[in-house]
Amino acid sequence: MTDTETPAQDLIGDFAPKLAALTDGVLFGDVWTGPDLSARDRSLITCAALIANGNVEQLPHHLTRAVANGVTQTEITEAITHLAFYAGWPRAMSAVAVANELFGRPALG
């Protein structure tokens, strides 16, 4: 990544420059900086949505961002446990595997 590129531009800018621009400008510009929810709340909501939808490939980035925004590992664990009952056991177990790896805990079974 160069000094002028954003993570989105670095990751997908060559292939999908419009998607990178929308990611930077709309998603992480307007949506993430809106005044009515804190970054902490947005992170918790985003992680919950990713888990509920089974989109664990983006979960490491958003779990890291959630911790940076003040969500504790205990809160993440509790959210995953809560989601097991609403989003499904397999999705919660997949999220636990990602969180274990991210936070340096042994892998499951």
Side-chain angles (χ1 to χ4, degrees):
M1 184 165 67
T2 68
D3 291 338
T4 59
E5 287 184 329
T6 66
Q9 290 169 342
D10 186 48
L11 183 65
I12 60 171
D14 289 340
F15 183 76
K18 181 66 175 182
L19 182 57
L22 290 167
T23 300
D24 291 335
V26 177
L27 177 59
F28 289 112
D30 294 338
V31 174
W32 269 88
T33 60
D36 297 323
L37 284 174
S38 68
R40 180 190 183 289
D41 291 346
R42 289 179 195 280
S43 282
L44 196 53
I45 292 165
T46 300
C47 289
L50 291 172
I51 293 165
N53 288 312
N55 300 116
V56 295
E57 58 278 338
Q58 291 190 5
L59 200 51
H61 167 77
H62 283 286
L63 287 174
T64 300
R65 187 178 180 123
V67 170
N69 286 333
V71 180
T72 68
Q73 289 182 29
T74 300
E75 290 170 322
I76 290 167
T77 301
E78 187 65 21
I80 293 169
T81 302
H82 190 81
L83 285 164
F85 292 91
Y86 291 92
W89 219 263
R91 289 182 175 173
M93 295 300 285
S94 295
V96 165
V98 171
N100 275 336
E101 185 175 322
L102 184 68
F103 299 129
R105 297 192 173 124
L108 297 174

XYZ file of all heavy atoms in Angstrom:
808
model
N 0.850 -1.177 0.000
C 0.000 0.000 0.000
C 0.890 1.231 0.000
O 1.825 1.332 0.771
C -0.902 -0.033 1.240
C -1.882 1.081 1.282
S -3.228 0.853 2.475
C -2.396 0.929 4.023
N 0.577 2.183 -0.844
C 1.326 3.427 -0.862
C 0.750 4.379 0.170
O -0.290 4.123 0.761
C 1.249 4.092 -2.261
O -0.081 4.521 -2.484
C 1.707 3.149 -3.348
N 1.428 5.498 0.358
C 0.969 6.485 1.337
C -0.387 7.085 0.972
O -1.114 7.549 1.835
C 1.995 7.613 1.486
C 3.266 7.136 2.159
O 3.218 6.109 2.861
O 4.301 7.793 1.993
N -0.743 7.068 -0.302
C -1.991 7.692 -0.731
C -3.137 6.701 -0.901
O -4.263 7.112 -1.088
C -1.793 8.450 -2.058
O -1.350 7.512 -3.047
C -0.787 9.573 -1.902
N -2.849 5.408 -0.847
C -3.905 4.414 -1.020
C -4.559 4.070 0.306
O -3.902 4.000 1.336
C -3.350 3.130 -1.645
C -3.017 3.255 -3.100
C -2.557 1.939 -3.691
O -1.960 1.126 -2.968
O -2.810 1.730 -4.880
N -5.844 3.830 0.249
C -6.568 3.338 1.414
C -6.496 1.805 1.387
O -6.130 1.213 0.367
C -8.037 3.770 1.346
O -8.644 3.114 0.232
C -8.169 5.284 1.238
N -6.853 1.153 2.494
C -6.883 -0.313 2.461
C -7.790 -0.856 1.348
O -7.446 -1.836 0.698
C -7.405 -0.688 3.846
C -6.939 0.439 4.729
C -7.075 1.662 3.843
N -8.939 -0.225 1.118
C -9.839 -0.678 0.053
C -9.190 -0.523 -1.317
O -9.286 -1.410 -2.169
C -11.161 0.072 0.099
N -8.518 0.593 -1.539
C -7.848 0.803 -2.814
C -6.728 -0.212 -3.007
O -6.538 -0.732 -4.102
C -7.297 2.223 -2.901
C -8.386 3.260 -3.022
C -7.851 4.672 -2.843
O -6.763 4.897 -2.314
N -8.640 5.641 -3.257
N -6.014 -0.503 -1.938
C -4.923 -1.469 -2.008
C -5.455 -2.877 -2.295
O -4.880 -3.618 -3.084
C -4.127 -1.457 -0.698
C -2.891 -2.319 -0.756
O -2.134 -2.202 -1.744
O -2.683 -3.104 0.181
N -6.570 -3.230 -1.668
C -7.119 -4.576 -1.781
C -7.838 -4.813 -3.107
O -7.643 -5.835 -3.755
C -8.072 -4.838 -0.613
C -8.695 -6.222 -0.525
C -7.618 -7.278 -0.274
C -9.719 -6.257 0.602
N -8.674 -3.875 -3.538
C -9.513 -4.116 -4.716
C -9.462 -3.018 -5.769
O -10.101 -3.131 -6.816
C -10.993 -4.315 -4.299
C -11.532 -3.084 -3.578
C -11.157 -5.574 -3.476
C -13.027 -3.097 -3.324
N -8.710 -1.951 -5.519
C -8.721 -0.783 -6.402
C -8.344 -1.053 -7.833
O -8.945 -0.492 -8.756
N -7.366 -1.928 -8.070
C -6.975 -2.230 -9.448
C -8.063 -2.997 -10.186
O -8.258 -2.811 -11.379
C -5.679 -3.044 -9.474
C -4.470 -2.218 -9.072
O -4.540 -0.972 -9.136
O -3.453 -2.822 -8.697
N -8.771 -3.856 -9.472
C -9.792 -4.694 -10.093
C -11.157 -4.007 -10.140
O -11.863 -4.093 -11.127
C -9.905 -6.029 -9.339
C -10.878 -6.980 -9.959
C -10.537 -7.673 -11.116
C -12.120 -7.178 -9.404
C -11.434 -8.559 -11.702
C -13.037 -8.050 -9.984
C -12.681 -8.752 -11.135
N -11.511 -3.343 -9.029
C -12.835 -2.720 -8.928
C -12.709 -1.328 -8.315
O -13.073 -1.109 -7.167
C -13.765 -3.595 -8.087
N -12.195 -0.369 -9.093
C -11.959 0.971 -8.534
C -13.226 1.656 -8.022
O -13.179 2.372 -7.033
C -11.327 1.751 -9.688
C -11.564 0.946 -10.920
C -11.781 -0.471 -10.490
N -14.365 1.443 -8.667
C -15.612 2.071 -8.205
C -16.032 1.497 -6.852
O -16.445 2.234 -5.952
C -16.727 1.865 -9.248
C -18.038 2.490 -8.861
C -17.938 4.012 -8.813
C -19.296 4.618 -8.548
N -19.243 6.076 -8.540
N -15.901 0.172 -6.669
C -16.226 -0.446 -5.393
C -15.292 0.070 -4.297
O -15.734 0.343 -3.180
C -16.153 -1.975 -5.488
C -16.521 -2.748 -4.228
C -17.929 -2.408 -3.749
C -16.372 -4.238 -4.479
N -14.020 0.250 -4.614
C -13.072 0.806 -3.642
C -13.474 2.229 -3.268
O -13.456 2.603 -2.093
C -11.650 0.777 -4.198
N -13.862 3.022 -4.246
C -14.267 4.408 -3.977
C -15.538 4.458 -3.126
O -15.639 5.268 -2.203
C -14.482 5.161 -5.293
N -16.499 3.585 -3.412
C -17.718 3.525 -2.606
C -17.424 3.046 -1.185
O -18.000 3.556 -0.219
C -18.753 2.613 -3.267
C -19.382 3.163 -4.554
C -20.144 2.067 -5.284
C -20.270 4.345 -4.249
N -16.534 2.087 -1.070
C -16.135 1.590 0.248
C -15.531 2.710 1.076
O -15.889 2.915 2.240
C -15.133 0.424 0.116
O -15.767 -0.637 -0.613
C -14.678 -0.081 1.467
N -14.627 3.461 0.464
C -13.965 4.557 1.175
C -14.909 5.726 1.445
O -14.980 6.229 2.563
C -12.768 5.074 0.364
C -11.632 4.085 0.282
O -11.516 3.230 1.178
O -10.855 4.162 -0.686
N -15.630 6.150 0.426
C -16.438 7.360 0.543
C -17.762 7.170 1.256
O -18.104 7.933 2.160
N -18.505 6.153 0.856
C -19.843 5.966 1.419
C -19.787 5.125 2.691
O -20.224 5.565 3.757
C -20.806 5.336 0.384
C -22.163 5.086 1.002
C -20.932 6.237 -0.845
N -19.253 3.905 2.584
C -19.294 3.003 3.737
C -18.453 3.523 4.902
O -18.973 3.785 5.981
C -18.833 1.601 3.338
C -18.777 0.589 4.480
C -20.138 0.411 5.135
C -18.240 -0.730 3.986
N -17.147 3.679 4.680
C -16.287 4.100 5.786
C -16.229 5.614 5.935
O -15.775 6.117 6.956
C -14.883 3.498 5.650
C -14.877 2.022 5.906
C -14.624 1.130 4.884
C -15.157 1.527 7.169
C -14.642 -0.236 5.119
C -15.178 0.169 7.413
C -14.912 -0.724 6.383
N -16.732 6.344 4.964
C -16.819 7.791 5.076
C -18.116 8.214 5.734
O -18.147 8.606 6.895
N -19.224 8.079 5.022
C -20.526 8.544 5.527
C -21.140 7.624 6.578
O -21.545 8.079 7.644
C -21.518 8.694 4.371
C -21.128 9.794 3.398
O -20.358 10.687 3.804
O -21.586 9.751 2.242
N -21.252 6.343 6.276
C -21.975 5.426 7.163
C -21.255 5.261 8.500
O -21.868 5.385 9.562
C -22.201 4.061 6.474
C -22.822 3.056 7.429
C -23.090 4.241 5.236
N -19.962 4.971 8.477
C -19.229 4.714 9.716
C -19.015 5.965 10.553
O -18.711 5.864 11.741
C -17.884 4.041 9.414
C -18.004 2.548 9.415
C -18.330 1.757 8.356
C -17.812 1.682 10.531
N -18.350 0.447 8.749
C -18.035 0.363 10.077
C -17.471 1.885 11.864
C -17.935 -0.743 10.908
C -17.363 0.773 12.689
C -17.590 -0.523 12.216
N -19.157 7.134 9.975
C -18.910 8.362 10.738
C -20.186 9.108 11.103
O -20.113 10.219 11.628
C -17.973 9.308 9.968
O -18.578 9.650 8.718
C -16.615 8.677 9.728
N -21.333 8.505 10.861
C -22.600 9.155 11.217
C -22.668 9.439 12.709
O -22.107 8.715 13.522
N -23.382 10.493 13.093
C -23.378 10.943 14.482
C -24.297 10.161 15.431
O -24.191 10.306 16.644
C -23.871 12.387 14.370
C -24.773 12.378 13.170
C -24.123 11.406 12.216
N -25.173 9.314 14.893
C -26.201 8.716 15.741
C -25.834 7.386 16.390
O -26.571 6.890 17.238
C -27.501 8.574 14.950
C -28.034 9.939 14.523
O -27.901 10.902 15.309
O -28.557 10.046 13.405
N -24.725 6.786 15.982
C -24.197 5.580 16.623
C -22.702 5.757 16.836
O -22.017 6.333 15.986
C -24.408 4.337 15.749
C -25.798 3.735 15.667
C -25.809 2.600 14.638
C -26.244 3.206 17.018
N -22.213 5.233 17.929
C -20.769 5.288 18.170
C -20.062 4.260 17.289
O -20.670 3.298 16.809
C -20.473 4.977 19.641
O -20.769 3.604 19.925
N -18.766 4.455 17.083
C -17.968 3.489 16.331
C -18.007 2.125 17.022
O -18.033 1.078 16.365
C -16.533 3.984 16.185
N -18.033 2.127 18.353
C -18.109 0.892 19.127
C -19.391 0.139 18.790
O -19.374 -1.063 18.523
C -18.061 1.209 20.621
C -18.132 0.009 21.507
C -18.334 0.425 22.976
N -18.327 -0.719 23.838
C -19.292 -1.626 23.905
N -20.359 -1.517 23.155
N -19.195 -2.656 24.721
N -20.526 0.840 18.803
C -21.801 0.215 18.482
C -21.829 -0.269 17.034
O -22.316 -1.365 16.743
C -22.961 1.172 18.730
C -23.186 1.448 20.205
O -22.634 0.725 21.057
O -23.923 2.412 20.516
N -21.308 0.533 16.128
C -21.265 0.133 14.721
C -20.421 -1.133 14.549
O -20.777 -2.024 13.772
C -20.721 1.259 13.849
C -21.675 2.420 13.713
C -21.092 3.541 12.851
N -21.854 4.766 13.015
C -23.003 5.030 12.410
N -23.538 4.148 11.600
N -23.628 6.168 12.632
N -19.310 -1.222 15.276
C -18.471 -2.413 15.192
C -19.204 -3.647 15.695
O -19.148 -4.713 15.068
C -17.186 -2.223 16.000
O -16.266 -1.437 15.308
N -19.881 -3.525 16.819
C -20.612 -4.662 17.372
C -21.730 -5.100 16.419
O -21.919 -6.294 16.166
C -21.167 -4.302 18.748
C -21.615 -5.447 19.633
C -20.543 -6.514 19.800
C -22.021 -4.910 20.991
N -22.441 -4.147 15.851
C -23.505 -4.450 14.886
C -22.920 -5.120 13.644
O -23.474 -6.109 13.135
C -24.273 -3.167 14.509
C -25.073 -2.662 15.697
C -25.173 -3.399 13.291
C -25.573 -1.233 15.543
N -21.822 -4.600 13.147
C -21.201 -5.158 11.948
C -20.744 -6.589 12.186
O -20.996 -7.475 11.361
C -20.017 -4.287 11.495
O -20.503 -2.973 11.214
C -19.336 -4.855 10.265
N -20.088 -6.837 13.317
C -19.645 -8.196 13.636
C -20.846 -9.134 13.760
O -20.816 -10.262 13.245
C -18.812 -8.209 14.915
S -17.184 -7.454 14.714
N -21.901 -8.678 14.402
C -23.103 -9.497 14.539
C -23.714 -9.816 13.169
O -24.127 -10.955 12.919
C -24.123 -8.808 15.433
N -23.766 -8.842 12.291
C -24.317 -9.062 10.952
C -23.460 -10.049 10.160
O -23.992 -10.934 9.481
C -24.439 -7.738 10.206
N -22.146 -9.908 10.246
C -21.265 -10.831 9.536
C -21.437 -12.252 10.047
O -21.504 -13.206 9.268
C -19.808 -10.386 9.673
C -19.424 -9.099 8.941
C -18.023 -8.669 9.322
C -19.549 -9.277 7.430
N -21.525 -12.402 11.366
C -21.706 -13.726 11.964
C -23.064 -14.298 11.557
O -23.164 -15.450 11.122
C -21.557 -13.657 13.497
C -20.116 -13.307 13.871
C -21.981 -14.981 14.134
C -19.936 -12.869 15.316
N -24.116 -13.513 11.694
C -25.466 -13.979 11.379
C -25.610 -14.406 9.927
O -26.351 -15.333 9.614
C -26.482 -12.895 11.720
N -24.896 -13.735 9.048
C -24.966 -14.060 7.625
C -23.926 -15.082 7.188
O -23.882 -15.449 6.013
C -24.838 -12.787 6.782
C -26.081 -11.945 6.860
O -27.183 -12.448 6.703
N -25.916 -10.654 7.121
N -23.074 -15.518 8.112
C -22.057 -16.507 7.786
C -20.897 -15.968 6.968
O -20.218 -16.723 6.284
N -20.655 -14.666 7.026
C -19.578 -14.032 6.260
C -18.302 -13.920 7.083
O -17.826 -12.827 7.379
C -20.021 -12.647 5.776
C -21.232 -12.713 4.890
O -22.284 -12.200 5.225
N -21.094 -13.377 3.752
N -17.735 -15.060 7.451
C -16.581 -15.036 8.348
C -15.291 -14.573 7.683
O -14.332 -14.241 8.380
C -16.370 -16.401 9.045
C -17.539 -16.724 9.956
C -16.129 -17.503 8.038
N -15.245 -14.491 6.361
C -14.010 -14.049 5.705
C -13.668 -12.598 6.045
O -12.499 -12.221 6.051
C -14.049 -14.270 4.195
C -15.179 -13.598 3.459
C -16.494 -14.358 3.508
O -16.494 -15.583 3.735
O -17.530 -13.703 3.337
N -14.644 -11.774 6.343
C -14.382 -10.387 6.721
C -14.346 -10.191 8.233
O -14.048 -9.106 8.720
C -15.431 -9.461 6.111
C -15.309 -9.352 4.613
C -16.186 -8.254 4.052
O -16.833 -7.506 4.757
N -16.201 -8.161 2.734
N -14.623 -11.249 8.969
C -14.706 -11.142 10.423
C -13.384 -10.777 11.099
O -13.392 -9.960 12.022
C -15.280 -12.438 10.999
C -15.862 -12.380 12.389
C -16.870 -11.258 12.571
C -16.494 -13.728 12.739
N -12.225 -11.314 10.679
C -10.978 -10.921 11.358
C -10.749 -9.408 11.342
O -10.407 -8.818 12.365
C -9.888 -11.666 10.589
C -10.580 -12.853 10.016
C -11.975 -12.374 9.691
N -10.967 -8.790 10.194
C -10.785 -7.336 10.098
C -11.752 -6.604 11.034
O -11.353 -5.696 11.762
C -11.001 -6.865 8.657
C -11.140 -5.382 8.535
N -10.055 -4.530 8.596
C -12.241 -4.596 8.400
C -10.492 -3.285 8.498
N -11.807 -3.291 8.372
N -12.996 -7.021 11.033
C -13.994 -6.302 11.827
C -13.891 -6.613 13.318
O -14.208 -5.753 14.142
C -15.396 -6.530 11.275
C -15.653 -5.716 10.043
N -15.861 -4.360 10.090
C -15.662 -6.056 8.742
C -16.024 -3.886 8.871
N -15.907 -4.909 8.026
N -13.442 -7.801 13.692
C -13.187 -8.068 15.110
C -12.031 -7.215 15.610
O -12.095 -6.661 16.713
C -12.899 -9.555 15.343
C -14.084 -10.502 15.237
C -13.615 -11.947 15.347
C -15.141 -10.198 16.292
N -10.986 -7.102 14.808
C -9.850 -6.253 15.170
C -10.293 -4.804 15.307
O -9.931 -4.106 16.260
C -8.734 -6.380 14.120
O -8.313 -7.743 14.062
C -7.547 -5.490 14.448
N -11.103 -4.361 14.367
C -11.633 -2.989 14.417
C -12.531 -2.795 15.635
O -12.508 -1.753 16.279
C -12.393 -2.700 13.124
C -12.850 -1.276 12.984
C -13.544 -1.070 11.646
N -13.976 0.311 11.536
C -13.624 1.125 10.567
N -12.841 0.703 9.593
N -14.066 2.371 10.541
N -13.327 -3.815 15.969
C -14.216 -3.731 17.132
C -13.413 -3.545 18.412
O -13.757 -2.701 19.254
C -15.091 -4.986 17.225
N -12.346 -4.310 18.560
C -11.499 -4.163 19.749
C -10.889 -2.762 19.778
O -10.871 -2.103 20.822
C -10.417 -5.263 19.794
C -9.386 -4.982 20.877
C -11.066 -6.636 20.015
N -10.421 -2.282 18.636
C -9.862 -0.923 18.566
C -10.920 0.124 18.915
O -10.587 1.193 19.440
C -9.291 -0.659 17.173
N -12.188 -0.188 18.643
C -13.283 0.740 18.945
C -13.864 0.536 20.340
O -14.893 1.128 20.676
C -14.386 0.623 17.883
C -13.987 1.267 16.572
O -13.181 2.175 16.533
N -14.556 0.790 15.486
N -13.234 -0.315 21.154
C -13.636 -0.439 22.554
C -14.476 -1.643 22.922
O -14.894 -1.773 24.074
N -14.751 -2.542 21.981
C -15.486 -3.758 22.302
C -14.483 -4.750 22.912
O -13.419 -4.969 22.359
C -16.148 -4.371 21.050
C -16.913 -5.649 21.401
C -17.076 -3.362 20.375
N -14.834 -5.330 24.055
C -13.912 -6.256 24.715
C -14.057 -7.658 24.134
O -15.080 -8.005 23.529
C -14.184 -6.324 26.232
O -15.466 -6.950 26.447
C -14.148 -4.942 26.874
N -13.037 -8.481 24.368
C -13.109 -9.876 23.935
C -14.256 -10.593 24.643
O -14.935 -11.431 24.043
C -11.782 -10.579 24.201
C -10.676 -10.117 23.288
C -9.372 -10.856 23.531
O -9.362 -11.999 23.947
N -8.264 -10.182 23.268
N -14.489 -10.250 25.891
C -15.604 -10.842 26.629
C -16.933 -10.496 25.963
O -17.818 -11.350 25.825
C -15.589 -10.361 28.098
O -14.353 -10.756 28.682
C -16.750 -10.927 28.888
N -17.098 -9.264 25.531
C -18.330 -8.853 24.852
C -18.474 -9.560 23.502
O -19.586 -9.944 23.115
C -18.355 -7.337 24.668
C -18.530 -6.590 25.972
C -18.309 -5.099 25.838
O -17.407 -4.662 25.090
O -19.058 -4.360 26.507
N -17.370 -9.734 22.808
C -17.408 -10.453 21.529
C -17.846 -11.895 21.761
O -18.716 -12.417 21.057
C -16.041 -10.387 20.820
C -15.794 -8.959 20.321
C -15.965 -11.397 19.668
C -14.370 -8.680 19.884
N -17.280 -12.539 22.778
C -17.660 -13.909 23.107
C -19.131 -13.998 23.465
O -19.847 -14.908 23.028
C -16.792 -14.440 24.267
O -15.423 -14.383 23.878
C -17.158 -15.851 24.645
N -19.608 -13.068 24.258
C -21.023 -13.057 24.654
C -21.921 -12.827 23.446
O -22.987 -13.449 23.325
C -21.259 -11.980 25.716
C -22.637 -11.993 26.303
C -22.976 -13.253 27.103
O -22.047 -13.956 27.555
O -24.178 -13.522 27.268
N -21.521 -11.950 22.543
C -22.315 -11.699 21.335
C -22.396 -12.960 20.481
O -23.468 -13.308 19.975
C -21.712 -10.543 20.538
N -21.272 -13.662 20.323
C -21.263 -14.898 19.537
C -22.178 -15.934 20.183
O -22.964 -16.597 19.499
C -19.832 -15.436 19.369
C -19.001 -14.484 18.495
C -19.851 -16.841 18.767
C -17.508 -14.791 18.477
N -22.099 -16.076 21.496
C -22.952 -17.027 22.209
C -24.428 -16.667 22.023
O -25.262 -17.526 21.737
C -22.585 -17.067 23.699
O -21.204 -17.425 23.826
C -23.445 -18.044 24.463
N -24.747 -15.408 22.147
C -26.119 -14.934 21.964
C -26.598 -15.236 20.539
O -27.731 -15.707 20.336
C -26.177 -13.442 22.265
C -27.543 -12.879 22.343
N -28.331 -12.976 23.466
C -28.283 -12.216 21.417
C -29.491 -12.383 23.240
N -29.489 -11.911 22.009
N -25.733 -14.975 19.570
C -26.097 -15.189 18.173
C -26.308 -16.661 17.837
O -27.031 -16.977 16.888
C -25.034 -14.591 17.252
C -25.073 -13.069 17.146
C -23.785 -12.537 16.544
C -26.282 -12.634 16.337
N -25.712 -17.565 18.602
C -25.911 -18.994 18.347
C -27.389 -19.345 18.358
O -27.852 -20.187 17.578
C -25.157 -19.828 19.377
N -28.145 -18.678 19.212
C -29.567 -18.974 19.353
C -30.433 -18.274 18.305
O -31.579 -18.670 18.081
C -30.047 -18.617 20.766
C -29.443 -19.518 21.798
C -28.248 -19.177 22.420
C -30.042 -20.723 22.117
C -27.683 -20.007 23.358
C -29.476 -21.571 23.061
C -28.282 -21.214 23.686
N -29.924 -17.236 17.679
C -30.703 -16.483 16.696
C -30.213 -16.670 15.267
O -30.994 -16.563 14.326
C -30.703 -14.984 17.049
C -31.500 -14.713 18.294
C -30.891 -14.694 19.542
C -32.876 -14.512 18.221
C -31.635 -14.473 20.692
C -33.630 -14.297 19.377
C -32.997 -14.278 20.610
O -33.734 -14.064 21.739
N -28.923 -16.925 15.096
C -28.348 -17.049 13.757
C -27.955 -18.480 13.426
O -27.718 -18.790 12.262
C -27.132 -16.136 13.621
N -27.848 -19.323 14.441
C -27.515 -20.719 14.206
C -26.199 -21.131 14.836
O -25.255 -20.347 14.908
N -26.213 -22.345 15.323
C -25.037 -22.894 15.995
C -23.808 -22.960 15.085
O -22.725 -22.541 15.489
C -25.376 -24.283 16.548
C -24.775 -24.521 17.883
C -23.602 -25.177 18.149
C -25.288 -24.094 19.147
N -23.374 -25.194 19.500
C -24.404 -24.537 20.136
C -26.422 -23.377 19.528
C -24.603 -24.295 21.489
C -26.626 -23.145 20.871
C -25.719 -23.597 21.829
N -23.945 -23.463 13.847
C -22.760 -23.529 12.976
C -22.125 -22.164 12.718
O -20.903 -22.042 12.672
C -23.296 -24.146 11.680
C -24.483 -24.945 12.120
C -25.102 -24.125 13.232
N -22.934 -21.139 12.572
C -22.381 -19.798 12.337
C -21.653 -19.284 13.574
O -20.595 -18.658 13.465
C -23.477 -18.844 11.893
C -23.914 -19.186 10.478
C -24.936 -18.277 9.937
N -25.154 -18.679 8.534
C -26.080 -18.186 7.774
N -26.894 -17.260 8.241
N -26.211 -18.589 6.539
N -22.203 -19.562 14.734
C -21.522 -19.163 15.970
C -20.211 -19.928 16.134
O -19.191 -19.350 16.519
C -22.428 -19.391 17.173
N -20.232 -21.215 15.833
C -19.009 -22.015 15.954
C -17.939 -21.542 14.965
O -16.750 -21.502 15.300
C -19.324 -23.497 15.750
C -20.229 -24.081 16.833
S -19.520 -23.953 18.499
C -18.303 -25.252 18.410
N -18.353 -21.170 13.773
C -17.403 -20.622 12.796
C -16.819 -19.311 13.288
O -15.620 -19.049 13.132
C -18.084 -20.420 11.444
O -18.464 -21.654 10.889
N -17.644 -18.477 13.901
C -17.173 -17.199 14.436
C -16.208 -17.419 15.595
O -15.206 -16.704 15.721
C -18.358 -16.342 14.879
N -16.492 -18.405 16.450
C -15.585 -18.718 17.559
C -14.227 -19.147 17.019
O -13.186 -18.736 17.549
C -16.190 -19.806 18.487
C -15.141 -20.387 19.412
C -17.334 -19.222 19.290
N -14.207 -19.937 15.966
C -12.936 -20.372 15.383
C -12.122 -19.178 14.887
O -10.911 -19.098 15.111
C -13.193 -21.366 14.248
N -12.787 -18.231 14.245
C -12.105 -17.022 13.764
C -11.591 -16.206 14.947
O -10.446 -15.758 14.959
C -13.043 -16.173 12.875
C -12.420 -14.816 12.561
C -13.386 -16.916 11.599
N -12.441 -16.011 15.959
C -12.041 -15.224 17.127
C -10.899 -15.893 17.881
O -9.965 -15.219 18.329
C -13.240 -15.010 18.047
N -10.955 -17.216 18.023
C -9.863 -17.942 18.685
C -8.539 -17.698 17.980
O -7.519 -17.446 18.609
C -10.139 -19.453 18.708
C -10.998 -19.874 19.863
O -11.062 -19.209 20.887
N -11.666 -20.997 19.703
N -8.549 -17.797 16.668
C -7.329 -17.582 15.893
C -6.840 -16.136 16.031
O -5.654 -15.882 16.233
C -7.572 -17.921 14.433
C -6.320 -17.839 13.590
C -6.553 -18.307 12.159
O -7.303 -19.278 11.955
O -5.976 -17.671 11.259
N -7.768 -15.210 15.939
C -7.418 -13.795 16.021
C -6.837 -13.426 17.382
O -5.864 -12.681 17.470
C -8.651 -12.942 15.733
C -8.426 -11.441 15.698
C -7.577 -11.075 14.493
C -9.748 -10.723 15.649
N -7.421 -13.953 18.442
C -6.991 -13.605 19.789
C -5.936 -14.549 20.345
O -5.617 -14.482 21.534
C -8.204 -13.514 20.718
C -9.195 -12.449 20.309
C -10.530 -12.751 20.186
C -8.781 -11.151 20.033
C -11.450 -11.773 19.802
C -9.683 -10.172 19.655
C -11.018 -10.478 19.534
N -5.412 -15.435 19.511
C -4.294 -16.278 19.913
C -4.651 -17.411 20.853
O -3.835 -17.830 21.659
N -5.845 -17.927 20.712
C -6.265 -19.065 21.531
C -6.205 -20.317 20.679
O -6.289 -20.261 19.462
C -7.673 -18.835 22.057
C -7.721 -17.629 22.978
C -9.035 -17.566 23.724
N -8.983 -16.499 24.702
C -9.850 -15.510 24.760
N -10.839 -15.454 23.920
N -9.739 -14.585 25.685
N -6.092 -21.481 21.322
C -6.029 -22.730 20.546
C -7.293 -22.943 19.722
O -8.384 -22.540 20.136
C -5.913 -23.817 21.624
C -5.617 -23.124 22.890
C -6.001 -21.695 22.747
N -7.125 -23.576 18.576
C -8.263 -23.889 17.716
C -9.157 -24.920 18.372
O -8.706 -25.698 19.222
C -7.770 -24.386 16.362
N -10.408 -24.939 17.982
C -11.365 -25.903 18.515
C -11.115 -27.279 17.923
O -10.758 -27.403 16.766
C -12.796 -25.470 18.194
C -13.254 -24.144 18.801
C -14.625 -23.797 18.263
C -13.285 -24.232 20.310
N -11.362 -28.314 18.718
C -11.384 -29.723 18.390
C -10.566 -30.136 17.262
O -10.507 -30.901 16.511
